[in-house]
Amino acid sequence: MAESSDPIISVHDLTIAFGPKVIQQNVSFDLKRGSIFAVMGGSGCGKSTLLKSMIGLLRPASGQILVEGEDYWAQNQRRRTELNHRFGVLFQSAALWSSMTVGENVALPMEMFTPLRPDVIRRLVELKLGFVGMEHAVDLMPSEISGGMRKRAGLARAIALDPDILFFDEPSAGLDPITSARLDDLILTLRDGLGATIVIVSHELPSLFKIADDGIFLDAKTHTPIAHGAPRDLRDHSTIPEVMAFMNREATVQDASATKGETHG
Amino acid sequence: MTNTHPPSPVTGQHTPQQAAWSLDASGIPLTLRLSGNWDVEHGGMAPFPQDGLHTATPGQVLQLDTQQLENWDTAFISFLWDVKQAANHAGVQFDPSTLPGPAQRLLALLPPEPAKPPAAQKAPAPFLDRVGDKTLRCLDETGTVAVMAAETAKGALKALTGKSGMRLKDLATDLWNAGPSALLIVGIVNFLVGAILAFVGLIELRRFAADIYVANLVGIACAREISAIMTAIVMAGRTGGAYAARISTMLGNEEIDALEVSGIPVSTYILLPSILSLSLMMPLLYIYGTIIAIFGGFVVAMTMMSGTAIGYLTTTVNGIALHEFIFGFIKSFFFAGFIALAACRVGLKAGRSAADVGIAATRAVVIGIVGVIAMDALFAIIANVLDI
Ligand SMILES: Nc1ncnc2c1ncn2[C@@H]1O[C@H](COP(=O)(O)OP(=O)(O)OP(=O)(O)O)[C@@H](O)[C@H]1O
Ligand SMILES: [Mg+2]
């Protein structure tokens, strides 16, 4: 049995690419049990793509992802699917199944992978939707609810099977500040309540400073991670110009023309 | 370029001067004189030739004289960008200091060169390479579709024992869309086709006093070929297009990704109900279509020829052998399977934007129709060989 101090996921020297186009390389990090791990970086640097390779949607070009010591991508499809049952994923676009009601969306994974009786599932669906404040929407179709509500329903679906690892791609994008702050609390509560480990992609600095206790910063120019650590530590102690600019919301790292000369010259 | 519109002294009003430039290469430093109205409306988007500075010696400074410059907008910046690039190429030092401040700042935003499309993609591959590539991709595609068909068939077998995990609600919706809700359009098309066949047939047969054989003509043609094809074409346009659009929309919404991550097989949740319902409904629609087509022929025949209704119907019943119906029935089943599989595959392979949904729908319809007609030709050959 794995020690509780072992990392739950550890990524070794990963390269992710679309065909010949390398998105990120030399990506290595450990995901500590019970931590909230932030994946940061500018738009288009490959955060969603990294997430995709961790949840089995995109085979990395090289490197390893160890889930409790087991090489994820070396397993066959069937074993990967089994491992996936420990994952809960909230997609950037929520990705609710549009032909089903909100309730059915949350119920489907349970119907599919647990032997529970329909009335028990119904109760559990109410419970999970209750966690995210969506119990009233159980019989609505995804097209009948707002974008923020869809995000919350997607969250309820992600926790349907009580996963131990949760992946959130920009959970608070498009939410109003109050809902967004409530979502932070919800994420913390879920982590403590379910004992889950959480990987979160986000641009919301205040929320990252508040909830994340570890992280990685991906750089779009060099296609490698350039910093590791909790967002608040990076904010306070990092000396890397790109990271400082990101954490302090500065427009440019250096004088615009100097940067141009550097990249194109 | 010259000034074509001098200021008018009569009205005292100021007519905008046309944009003009001239290069003074004699002096040191080089001077580019810019005058007039450099906006898109008046000056158009004047380009500066890429080799406009090739006579200059490297290291020279290019100054801009903007004293007679009037209005300017993006067109001016575009021109200056060209000049800057030409100066770079000729090794000339571009001095923007005499430009209006905002223009200097806009120009500083632009990179030295516009982004070039990657060269590797431009070069066409040698002919044989392309043929080989296409062939490999075709084989690959055939393999994928075969796997899809096998998985669906497996799913269908499991569904018989009630263990497939397919949602019956989805199946019911798809059955309704592929069957009852298509009755009207399939009926209209088949009625008209039967009527047209009878009309044309009657005109020709009448010359031989063989009017009554129009019943056989319409009956056999519709039962064996036309109703099966017409129904399949209507359904390819109606249901095939809808399947492709639905699946590619789900792809764009990451719904398919979500299924895969949860380990819910796309084949049982999306493909099985769609393919099953079309394959079940199409043969029924074919029978219905044939009956309507025969009825269409009957209506025309009754208004154009003198025989009795009973006589016509008896001739029809005696004229069509049962195996014609069976042949059409089996063909319809295969047409349906093909249309649904092709549509699902096209949908799953589509891109993720709104335009891709439209492309996928179109492609599914085209592949469906062409495929159905090609398959029908194949069936005709097989029937000929087997002497059916
Ligand atoms: N299917 C694809 N094929 C080829 N390139 C892709 C594909 N999907 C994404 N990319 C490229 O991969 C890079 C990373 O994309 P990704 O979606 O991971 O960015 P991101 O960091 O999540 O950005 P954002 O913060 O805007 O969501 C981008 O440059 C994008 O152009
Ligand atoms: Mg993203």
Side-chain angles (χ1 to χ4, degrees):
Chain A
M1 212 37 233
E3 290 275 322
S4 66
S5 60
D6 287 347
I8 192 160
I9 288 190
S10 85
V11 173
H12 282 305
D13 202 17
L14 201 71
T15 301
I16 41 177
F18 287 106
K21 186 169 137 199
V22 172
I23 307 295
Q24 284 287 326
Q25 54 192 0
N26 304 333
V27 183
S28 300
F29 60 87
D30 283 341
L31 195 59
K32 287 191 275 298
R33 222 170 277 270
S35 64
I36 297 183
F37 187 94
V39 180
M40 296 161 283
S43 198
C45 70
K47 303 180 295 294
S48 299
T49 313
L50 176 62
L51 225 54
K52 277 195 178 139
S53 72
M54 295 178 74
I55 57 178
L57 288 174
L58 179 76
R59 183 177 281 278
S62 70
Q64 289 172 319
I65 298 173
L66 304 179
V67 180
E68 285 190 335
E70 195 172 339
D71 187 348
Y72 183 84
W73 283 102
Q75 311 301 320
N76 59 20
Q77 172 78 50
R78 194 199 202 117
R79 177 72 189 134
R80 285 207 298 274
T81 306
E82 265 171 40
L83 287 173
N84 272 9
H85 291 162
R86 306 183 48 189
F87 299 169
V89 182
L90 170 58
F91 285 85
Q92 196 162 358
S93 59
L96 294 179
W97 295 306
S98 48
S99 60
M100 304 176 200
T101 64
V102 169
E104 286 169 339
N105 261 280
V106 182
L108 185 61
M110 296 191 228
E111 285 166 6
M112 198 66 193
F113 302 114
T114 65
L116 299 174
R117 288 203 320 275
D119 57 317
V120 180
I121 291 184
R122 182 85 200 168
R123 297 270 324 271
L124 282 172
V125 167
E126 275 166 17
L127 188 78
K128 306 271 149 136
L129 284 173
F131 284 155
V132 295
M134 289 284 295
E135 63 287 345
H136 56 280
V138 64
D139 287 324
L140 296 179
M141 298 301 283
S143 55
E144 294 168 337
I145 59 179
S146 77
M149 289 162 84
R150 249 174 262 163
K151 272 268 159 74
R152 284 189 279 152
L155 191 59
R157 188 180 68 185
I159 57 173
L161 293 177
D162 288 344
D164 15 313
I165 312 171
L166 283 163
F167 297 87
F168 297 155
D169 197 346
E170 306 204 10
S172 47
L175 297 187
D176 67 87
I178 295 171
T179 317
S180 171
R182 287 222 335 248
L183 191 73
D184 289 348
D185 293 338
L186 181 64
I187 290 174
L188 286 172
T189 314
L190 286 179
R191 192 259 310 257
D192 299 337
L194 303 174
T197 309
I198 296 175
V199 179
I200 181 170
V201 171
S202 178
H203 296 298
E204 296 286 317
L205 291 173
S207 112
L208 285 182
F209 296 147
K210 184 169 152 201
I211 63 175
D213 44 29
D214 197 358
I216 189 169
F217 190 96
L218 306 178
D219 184 41
K221 256 188 251 154
T222 55
H223 302 292
T224 53
I226 51 173
H228 295 259
R232 37 181 182 267
D233 295 340
L234 292 180
R235 171 194 59 188
D236 297 338
H237 306 300
S238 178
T239 51
I240 303 166
E242 282 84 2
V243 180
M244 285 163 64
F246 184 92
M247 295 297 167
N248 300 307
R249 306 183 112 238
E250 281 162 10
T252 44
V253 180
Q254 294 142 40
D255 167 40
S257 56
T259 321
K260 289 257 157 56
E262 214 168 73
T263 42
H264 299 278
Chain B
M1 272 185 246
T2 49
N3 296 345
T4 47
H5 299 290
S8 157
V10 182
T11 58
Q13 264 181 348
H14 182 77
T15 331
Q17 304 271 314
Q18 211 173 344
W21 61 269
S22 62
L23 184 66
D24 183 359
S26 57
I28 293 177
L30 287 168
T31 310
L32 184 66
R33 245 174 229 109
L34 298 156
S35 62
N37 251 295
W38 280 86
D39 48 18
V40 180
E41 199 182 326
H42 296 100
M45 296 281 288
F48 184 79
Q50 275 289 306
D51 56 355
L53 292 167
H54 70 285
T55 50
T57 40
Q60 260 184 311
V61 176
L62 175 66
Q63 278 196 341
L64 303 168
D65 177 358
T66 52
Q67 295 199 341
Q68 285 165 45
L69 182 69
E70 291 171 20
N71 295 328
W72 60 270
D73 65 7
T74 344
F76 184 53
I77 307 295
S78 158
F79 177 81
L80 289 176
W81 198 22
D82 284 351
V83 175
K84 201 169 155 186
Q85 287 166 46
N88 265 352
H89 289 162
V92 172
Q93 217 182 316
F94 180 83
D95 172 17
S97 61
T98 51
L99 288 173
Q104 281 185 37
R105 285 203 295 277
L106 281 176
L107 194 60
L109 287 180
L110 294 168
E113 298 282 335
K116 283 195 193 70
Q121 288 181 347
K122 283 271 167 177
F127 177 70
L128 281 180
D129 276 19
R130 265 180 299 160
V131 172
D133 208 42
K134 270 258 153 63
T135 317
L136 282 180
R137 245 186 291 159
C138 259
L139 287 176
D140 198 36
E141 198 55 28
T142 318
T144 316
V145 173
V147 169
M148 250 172 72
E151 277 187 8
T152 313
K154 248 195 279 172
L157 283 183
K158 271 201 211 157
L160 286 180
T161 60
K163 280 193 298 202
S164 71
M166 171 176 61
R167 278 161 35 98
L168 292 179
K169 208 166 139 194
D170 289 348
L171 183 67
T173 317
D174 280 349
L175 278 175
W176 173 261
N177 284 331
S181 74
L183 282 177
L184 186 63
I185 174 103
V186 168
I188 292 174
V189 168
N190 276 291
F191 180 88
L192 290 176
V193 167
I196 293 165
L197 261 182
F199 182 75
V200 176
L202 263 179
I203 289 175
E204 290 300 312
L205 289 173
R206 188 168 279 169
R207 300 203 307 209
F208 307 101
D211 302 27
I212 190 61
Y213 284 103
V214 79
N216 296 42
L217 174 78
V218 172
I220 294 175
C222 289
R224 198 181 166 93
E225 297 287 341
I226 298 188
S227 284
I229 292 201
M230 280 325 230
T231 307
I233 288 179
V234 169
M235 294 312 281
R238 205 178 167 279
T239 309
Y243 285 174
R246 184 176 72 192
I247 293 176
S248 62
T249 307
M250 292 184 72
L251 198 65
N253 289 342
E254 301 183 300
E255 288 176 46
I256 304 278
D257 286 347
L259 281 176
E260 273 177 27
V261 169
S262 320
I264 300 171
V266 175
S267 57
T268 37
Y269 269 82
I270 312 294
L271 308 188
L272 186 58
S274 307
I275 298 176
L276 209 57
S277 50
L278 193 58
S279 308
L280 289 179
M281 281 302 171
M282 187 100 93
L284 301 181
L285 283 175
Y286 151 79
I287 291 184
Y288 158 81
T290 313
I291 293 170
I292 297 277
I294 290 173
F295 177 67
F298 171 75
V299 169
V300 169
M302 283 305 100
T303 51
M304 282 177 67
M305 67 184 232
S306 50
T308 63
I310 298 291
Y312 185 94
L313 292 179
T314 317
T315 319
T316 304
V317 171
N318 291 338
I320 314 174
L322 183 64
H323 73 253
E324 314 277 14
F325 264 112
I326 296 175
F327 187 49
F329 192 85
I330 292 174
K331 280 204 293 194
S332 289
F333 178 76
F334 279 95
F335 290 166
F338 173 80
I339 292 170
L341 261 178
C344 291
R345 177 65 192 143
V346 166
L348 280 177
K349 233 182 86 169
R352 291 177 174 236
S353 73
D356 290 321
V357 175
I359 295 172
T362 315
R363 188 169 290 163
V365 173
V366 171
I367 292 179
I369 291 177
V370 174
V372 160
I373 293 174
M375 277 172 80
D376 191 61
L378 206 67
F379 271 111
I381 296 171
I382 293 172
N384 196 354
V385 171
L386 296 181
D387 208 13
I388 302 173

